[in-house]
Amino acid sequence: MAFSAASISNTSRTLSSPSTTFSQLNNKISPSHFSSSLSLSPRSSPFRRGFVSQWGRRESLRGHVSSSVKAVLVDESKEKVKLLKGDMWSVHKFGGTCVGSSERIKNVADIILKDSSEGKLVVVSAMSKVTDMMYDLINKAQSRDDSYLSAVDAVFEKHRLTAMDLIDGDDLASFLSRLHHDINNLKAMLRAIYIAGHATESFSDFVVGHGELWTAQMLSYVVRKNGLDCEWMDTREVLIVNPSGSNQVDPDFVESEKRLEEWFSRHPSKTIVATGFIASTPQNIPTTLKRDGSDFSAAIMGAMVRARQVTIWTDVDGVYSADPRKVSEAVILRTLSYQEAWEMSYFGANVLHPRTILPVMRYDIPIMIRNIFNLSAPGTMICRPAENEDGQKLESPVKGFATIDNVALVNVEGTGMAGVPGTASAIFGAVKDVGANVIMISQASSEHSVCFAVPEKEVTAVAEALKSRFHEALNAGRLSQVAVIRNCSILAAVGQKMASTPGVSATLFNALAKANINVRAIAQGCSEYNITVVIKREDCIRALRAVHSRFYLSKTTIAMGIIGPGLIGATLLDQLRDQAAFLKEDFNIDLRVMGITGSRTMLLSDVEIDLSKWRELVKDKGEVADLEKFTQHVHGNNFIPNTVLVDCTADSSVASCYHDWLRRGIHVITPNKKANSGPLDQYSKLRALQRQSYTHYFYEATVGAGLPIISTLRGLLETGDKILRIEGIFSGTLSYIFNNFIGTRAFSDVVAEAKQAGYTEPDPRDDLSGTDVARKVIILARESGLKLELSDIPVQSLVPQPLRASASVEEYMQRLPQFDSEMARERQEAEDAGDVLRYVGVVDAVSEEGRVELRRYKKDHPFAQLSGSDNIIAFTTKRYKEQPLIVRGPGAGAQVTAGGIFSDILRLASYLGAPS
């Protein structure tokens, strides 16, 4: 019964005595005082006038009933309208944001009016922030903060203004009267709490539940104002729950359904607006449904009327495959099974509380998650999974991924645990005694150790309890340790079809390994609805992104950093620009350039750089180049699990960073020959690290630009062939020069022509010295298994000795004609013998040596038939002994070199899971 004026007056007199104790207050104002408010309402009279249709609809009478109207006075104590249950009912639940303002309440009413269901049961939360305001009232009152009075007035004013914007006339007067009445009751209750300095759970539940009462009344008035018969329900009259510990309650369905039928017999209506979140105990004491209570209310009501569907209206488009704040490519799932939704919500996904699903599962009632602010979004249906004719589930194996952060692992380990009954019971008994929540358990079949995860804030108490409980076993050595591993996160992959699909676990762990993620613990139940792993907290987002990508819920995404936007680097960026959309659409490969750096300026971006205007961006937004900062930026983007740095320079200082990058899990792609032709010990360390990890190092373009030289050599070796000799024209510049050094042309003229055409380096001596060819020879020698240093390769330089120390390129080009006669003589001798001159590199695997020299070849030899700047490489092997395997094609130029690098990038994407 609601507080009468007399009871409030008596309460006030009681509270005015400063010596009143809280126990005395409990005697004078017990929860039964305020729970009795359930029955004292003008509309609760046992005799109510109204038209009663055959279905049970009551249309309110306004004023005098004409004798011409065939009306009947219904004595509801004698005649009860039966509640029909089944598919004619649809249930809607609207959260606080959905009813956060008068305008939003009007939108909710519009949705209700447009629902064509025969019966509509609408469950509402308090207006946005109101529940927090009510808890704040309690906190201020029990802290004896006088501002609770002004806070109560703020609550009153918020609802008064909302009501005045929504309703008018008698409805407004009726609502404001009830609101004044409730506010007076609240002030009396808060005064009691203020004096006692403490609020019991019953008092708190009574206070906080008012927001739902007011929202339900206002919405029902708005629906009725729009011409639809509507009643509002205080669910404390209907919904009965029993406390079950752990801050949860269990519905009493038998009693609740009985009370619902009684309520409906007094208030028959096709549209009911019910309060969410609040309920009563069997003793009729107001209580709440705790966390996510309004969703729970909707599920319970849906089950009690056997509804066709329960729709949960919220502010998101549905259930995502992963947290969209962590995985930008997360997608809306169209359907989830009850079990999948249960698993995902347990592991922290923003779905529903697991208990919300239980009532509707009993009757196979689907739950639809919809966005009230985006009605065009189809939402997510949670239901029993569909099956095809063969009985196989139609959905993909993994539906989604969820994470729990701020977790710690506890490992209890020792040989004395094996085969000893009751050890696990003792462990988890100690955990229970400190009130900790065990999130995950993992135990090896050897029984040597038990590992489990708990919230990090509880791990200290857990560890101390275990050490105390097993004090003797630890001292005796039967247990070796109780170890704590902090800073962990849990990652769960969820999907009902995982149980019938081989290879899901392998795919999951392969994705984690390729993202360089270490797994600390694993758990999987026999139902196989989820696979749970524990990882480092700092790896959580990267791991989530990696596994999400791997299961094709998003693109195979790679964060790229381009080092050296010179001729080759710029050409690569333009190729990436032209191909990005095609690769993303047709091959699920999403290449995102996050940074570009030269020797002096770099461009960094938190989102991918727009490659259509990268040159302008470098000029306008570039900053001072810092290679370490650049690396950290590109690799530090946790939204993208895979990182690759593409070194398009010829800089040895950049090459010296490769080992550190690979160690940090960064893939490396380069045409830079300095690392693979540098000191042998450094090269060996680099290759060893590459082989030991899932981090990739690709360098096809170091030899032959875009020609498949390295991959061909590896293919031969990996299939068991034995390399005898590799011989080739490896320099596009020198190929062009000797292909055109014919007839009576002077050597210096041909060199000048090649320089003018852009075939040579700015200083042609860099090509003519043979050092570049020597580096390619040493790379191929090492790939073949030879342990050679660059200094072991004899090189015939084509730069005359007197010109090697020339001060400038101009001086070199001016003096070069003085030495034309020597090269002319070499050419003439070759022509007299029917040969041509070619500058070649040779790897002799049999004698374990290499060399670079000017050699003669017969005019019918493949090397003599080149044109332009083509390269040609001949592999003589055990299989290809009589007729060498030859690879020939353009071996120089920015387009083909950049193409070779691009090919390595796509090869990396394939290794990381892109479809072939």
Side-chain angles (χ1 to χ4, degrees):
M1 186 176 297
F3 282 107
S4 65
S7 66
I8 295 174
S9 175
N10 291 335
T11 300
S12 300
R13 285 197 294 272
T14 301
L15 300 182
S16 65
S17 172
S19 62
T20 305
T21 65
F22 193 66
S23 61
Q24 290 171 327
L25 285 171
N26 270 329
N27 292 330
K28 295 178 181 290
I29 309 174
S30 69
S32 62
H33 273 74
F34 53 80
S35 66
S36 62
S37 66
L38 302 179
S39 60
L40 234 190
S41 170
R43 63 181 206 158
S44 299
S45 170
F47 293 90
R48 306 174 68 230
R49 283 186 180 181
F51 290 113
V52 182
S53 69
Q54 186 178 8
W55 197 87
R57 175 172 177 249
R58 183 188 65 81
E59 297 181 7
S60 61
L61 289 173
R62 295 182 183 272
H64 177 70
V65 179
S66 168
S67 60
S68 64
V69 179
K70 295 181 180 179
V72 286
L73 291 175
V74 180
D75 182 343
E76 292 181 355
S77 65
K78 297 178 181 178
E79 181 181 337
K80 292 188 176 181
V81 179
K82 184 176 177 60
L83 171 64
L84 299 178
K85 301 179 181 181
D87 286 351
M88 75 279 292
W89 286 100
S90 66
V91 175
H92 297 265
K93 179 264 174 178
F94 296 94
T97 54
C98 300
V99 291
S101 66
S102 57
E103 192 60 38
R104 290 182 179 180
I105 292 174
K106 291 176 185 176
N107 292 339
V108 168
D110 190 51
I111 290 172
I112 297 169
L113 292 166
K114 289 178 179 176
D115 183 353
S116 60
S117 301
E118 191 174 355
K120 297 179 276 286
L121 201 161
V122 180
V123 177
V124 292
S125 299
M127 292 179 70
S128 179
K129 307 298 182 185
V130 166
T131 301
D132 291 339
M133 293 170 75
M134 304 305 281
Y135 275 116
D136 185 54
L137 293 178
I138 297 168
N139 293 333
K140 286 181 175 178
Q142 64 186 1
S143 301
R144 294 176 175 167
D145 181 348
D146 290 330
S147 66
Y148 81 88
L149 290 168
S150 59
V152 174
D153 292 338
V155 171
F156 168 77
E157 192 66 12
K158 178 180 179 73
H159 289 85
R160 185 185 71 84
L161 293 174
T162 303
M164 292 181 70
D165 196 29
L166 290 171
I167 51 182
D168 49 34
D170 292 344
D171 289 344
L172 178 60
S174 176
F175 174 77
L176 291 180
S177 174
R178 176 63 182 256
L179 181 62
H180 275 287
H181 182 75
D182 290 343
I183 290 295
N184 287 334
N185 279 352
L186 281 175
K187 286 182 177 179
M189 183 61 62
L190 291 166
R191 177 64 179 167
I193 295 171
Y194 179 94
I195 292 174
H198 175 69
T200 65
E201 183 178 356
S202 296
F203 279 43
S204 296
D205 286 347
F206 172 74
V207 172
V208 300
H210 278 77
E212 281 74 13
L213 293 169
W214 298 326
T215 306
Q217 291 172 68
M218 287 190 290
L219 178 59
S220 68
Y221 282 128
V222 175
V223 172
R224 197 177 304 157
K225 182 180 177 181
N226 282 276
L228 193 64
D229 174 44
C230 182
E231 288 281 354
W232 78 273
M233 175 195 291
D234 181 344
T235 49
R236 295 178 300 183
E237 300 178 35
V238 172
L239 187 51
I240 304 302
V241 297
N242 293 295
S244 60
S246 302
N247 200 33
Q248 292 190 16
V249 293
D250 292 329
D252 183 338
F253 281 98
V254 174
E255 180 63 22
S256 297
E257 289 196 29
K258 177 183 173 184
R259 294 197 181 197
L260 175 62
E261 290 172 0
E262 291 176 352
W263 184 96
F264 189 82
S265 72
R266 299 192 304 271
H267 312 288
S269 178
K270 291 183 178 181
T271 305
I272 300 169
V273 179
T275 56
F277 184 56
I278 57 177
S280 291
T281 68
Q283 295 77 35
N284 291 325
I285 298 174
T287 186
T288 66
L289 299 185
K290 317 307 177 190
R291 178 187 163 196
D292 294 314
S294 293
D295 288 352
F296 198 18
S297 298
I300 295 168
M301 300 303 287
M304 289 200 296
V305 299
R306 313 295 190 265
R308 182 184 73 257
Q309 177 176 296
V310 174
T311 303
I312 306 292
W313 292 92
T314 181
D315 55 0
V316 294
D317 286 344
V319 180
Y320 283 88
S321 54
D323 187 339
R325 295 168 298 179
K326 298 177 180 178
V327 182
S328 57
E329 292 84 3
V331 298
I332 297 293
L333 300 172
R334 297 298 297 272
T335 62
L336 278 176
S337 71
Y338 296 120
Q339 290 81 3
E340 288 166 340
W342 196 338
E343 294 280 356
M344 288 186 71
S345 60
Y346 176 80
F347 286 102
N350 186 20
V351 187
L352 295 169
H353 193 280
R355 64 185 180 154
T356 302
I357 300 164
L358 285 173
V360 295
M361 277 183 67
R362 297 172 60 186
Y363 302 104
D364 282 347
I365 299 170
I367 298 177
M368 176 64 79
I369 311 293
R370 293 285 305 278
N371 188 350
I372 194 169
F373 305 115
N374 183 14
L375 298 180
S376 63
T380 299
M381 175 77 79
I382 299 172
C383 58
R384 191 169 299 281
E387 297 185 3
N388 61 17
E389 293 178 356
D390 299 324
Q392 295 296 312
K393 308 294 185 296
L394 297 174
E395 300 293 345
S396 59
V398 178
K399 277 295 186 67
F401 303 90
T403 58
I404 302 176
D405 294 323
N406 302 317
V407 169
L409 275 180
V410 180
N411 188 42
V412 183
E413 186 176 302
T415 55
M417 294 173 58
V420 179
T423 302
S425 175
I427 291 171
F428 295 111
V431 176
K432 178 179 179 292
D433 290 342
V434 297
N437 176 38
V438 176
I439 303 171
M440 188 203 84
I441 304 170
S442 180
Q443 180 179 12
S445 58
S446 67
E447 300 182 51
H448 178 68
S449 68
V450 174
C451 173
F452 58 93
V454 296
E456 193 158 18
K457 63 183 179 181
E458 299 174 356
V459 73
T460 301
V462 169
E464 289 175 356
L466 289 172
K467 288 174 183 176
S468 175
R469 173 65 181 80
F470 294 101
H471 177 72
E472 292 183 5
L474 287 165
N475 288 341
R478 295 193 303 276
L479 287 185
S480 58
Q481 64 172 343
V482 175
V484 172
I485 304 173
R486 298 178 183 271
N487 299 316
C488 295
S489 290
I490 287 177
L491 168 65
V494 175
Q496 191 162 346
K497 201 181 174 186
M498 287 164 56
S500 59
T501 306
V504 174
S505 295
T507 304
L508 177 77
F509 291 115
N510 184 259
L512 292 172
K514 287 185 174 181
N516 211 33
I517 305 293
N518 182 45
V519 175
R520 290 179 162 176
I522 305 166
Q524 180 178 16
C526 59
S527 68
E528 298 185 59
Y529 288 162
N530 86 68
I531 302 172
T532 306
V533 297
V534 180
I535 55 180
K536 291 180 183 177
R537 186 189 303 160
E538 67 217 48
D539 291 337
C540 181
I541 294 177
R542 196 155 48 91
L544 181 61
R545 189 69 173 78
V547 295
H548 192 274
S549 242
R550 187 62 184 86
F551 281 92
Y552 304 105
L553 294 171
S554 66
K555 315 298 182 187
T556 301
T557 310
I558 304 174
M560 300 178 63
I562 307 298
I563 305 170
L567 182 60
I568 292 172
T571 304
L572 174 63
L573 285 165
D574 291 342
Q575 291 180 356
L576 288 168
R577 174 200 63 204
D578 295 339
Q579 286 294 107
F582 169 73
L583 291 171
K584 193 170 183 178
E585 184 66 29
D586 287 22
F587 293 94
N588 287 334
I589 299 171
D590 190 359
L591 304 177
R592 302 185 183 184
V593 177
M594 311 301 290
I596 302 170
T597 184
S599 58
R600 291 186 293 274
T601 306
M602 68 180 179
L603 173 66
L604 305 179
S605 177
D606 292 328
V607 295
E608 61 181 313
I609 294 170
D610 183 355
L611 297 184
S612 66
K613 52 182 179 181
W614 69 266
R615 291 174 177 85
E616 294 86 342
L617 290 171
V618 169
K619 287 181 182 178
D620 297 340
K621 298 185 178 181
E623 56 187 276
V624 176
D626 180 331
L627 189 56
E628 179 53 36
K629 181 181 178 182
F630 177 84
T631 303
Q632 185 60 43
H633 172 83
V634 177
H635 186 49
N637 190 326
N638 287 323
F639 284 87
I640 304 176
N642 307 299
T643 305
V644 60
L645 293 179
V646 182
D647 175 20
C648 298
T649 74
D651 194 328
S652 57
S653 65
V654 177
S656 67
C657 298
Y658 294 176
H659 187 275
D660 179 60
W661 292 344
L662 292 171
R663 185 183 54 79
R664 291 160 65 176
I666 302 171
H667 307 289
V668 178
I669 294 174
T670 185
N672 187 343
K673 294 176 275 292
K674 297 296 173 64
N676 284 14
S677 62
L680 181 61
D681 61 331
Q682 292 182 20
Y683 166 81
S684 300
K685 283 174 61 180
L686 196 60
R687 292 303 307 278
L689 178 62
Q690 179 195 9
R691 285 190 290 268
Q692 291 166 6
S693 69
Y694 278 93
T695 311
H696 299 287
Y697 172 43
F698 296 147
Y699 43 87
E700 183 70 73
T702 55
V703 180
L707 296 179
I709 307 301
I710 300 291
S711 56
T712 298
L713 175 56
R714 282 190 172 178
L716 292 169
L717 293 170
E718 289 168 0
T719 57
D721 204 351
K722 183 177 180 180
I723 301 299
L724 302 177
R725 181 184 180 90
I726 303 172
E727 184 175 1
I729 298 172
F730 296 103
S731 168
T733 302
L734 293 169
S735 175
Y736 178 87
I737 288 173
F738 283 99
N739 287 338
N740 288 277
F741 184 45
I742 54 177
T744 59
R745 296 194 67 184
F747 185 73
S748 60
D749 289 343
V750 178
V751 172
E753 178 182 279
K755 184 176 184 300
Q756 182 67 31
Y759 285 115
T760 73
E761 293 293 332
D763 187 341
R765 287 172 294 183
D766 292 341
D767 298 297
L768 295 170
S769 67
T771 304
D772 186 65
V773 176
R775 289 189 181 278
K776 295 176 181 179
V777 167
I778 202 70
I779 290 170
L780 293 175
R782 288 174 176 176
E783 288 289 318
S784 302
L786 305 184
K787 300 186 182 301
L788 298 177
E789 293 281 8
L790 187 59
S791 58
D792 296 331
I793 307 295
V795 179
Q796 180 182 349
S797 175
L798 299 181
V799 181
Q801 184 68 40
L803 300 185
R804 293 177 189 176
S806 294
S808 66
V809 176
E810 290 75 15
E811 183 184 348
Y812 166 74
M813 294 302 295
Q814 288 173 1
R815 295 182 59 190
L816 185 58
Q818 301 172 16
F819 301 90
D820 280 344
S821 58
E822 184 176 341
M823 291 303 297
R825 180 176 53 78
E826 289 259 16
R827 179 182 59 193
Q828 190 60 50
E829 290 177 358
E831 288 180 353
D832 291 345
D835 298 335
V836 295
L837 295 175
R838 294 293 183 261
Y839 194 78
V840 298
V842 179
V843 176
D844 191 333
V846 177
S847 60
E848 298 186 355
E849 63 181 17
R851 59 186 177 274
V852 177
E853 59 190 6
L854 187 64
R855 298 192 64 186
R856 295 179 183 178
Y857 291 90
K858 294 297 181 184
K859 292 184 178 180
D860 60 351
H861 192 279
F863 286 15
Q865 298 170 16
L866 289 184
S867 61
S869 60
D870 279 4
N871 284 8
I872 186 168
I873 295 90
F875 294 93
T876 304
T877 71
K878 188 176 178 181
R879 292 179 191 155
Y880 297 94
K881 192 172 184 178
E882 301 301 323
Q883 187 173 357
L885 174 64
I886 290 178
V887 178
R888 172 181 171 175
Q895 286 291 338
V896 293
T897 304
I901 301 167
F902 202 160
S903 178
D904 271 348
I905 293 170
L906 298 182
R907 182 178 165 207
L908 173 64
S910 178
Y911 275 51
L912 295 175
S916 58

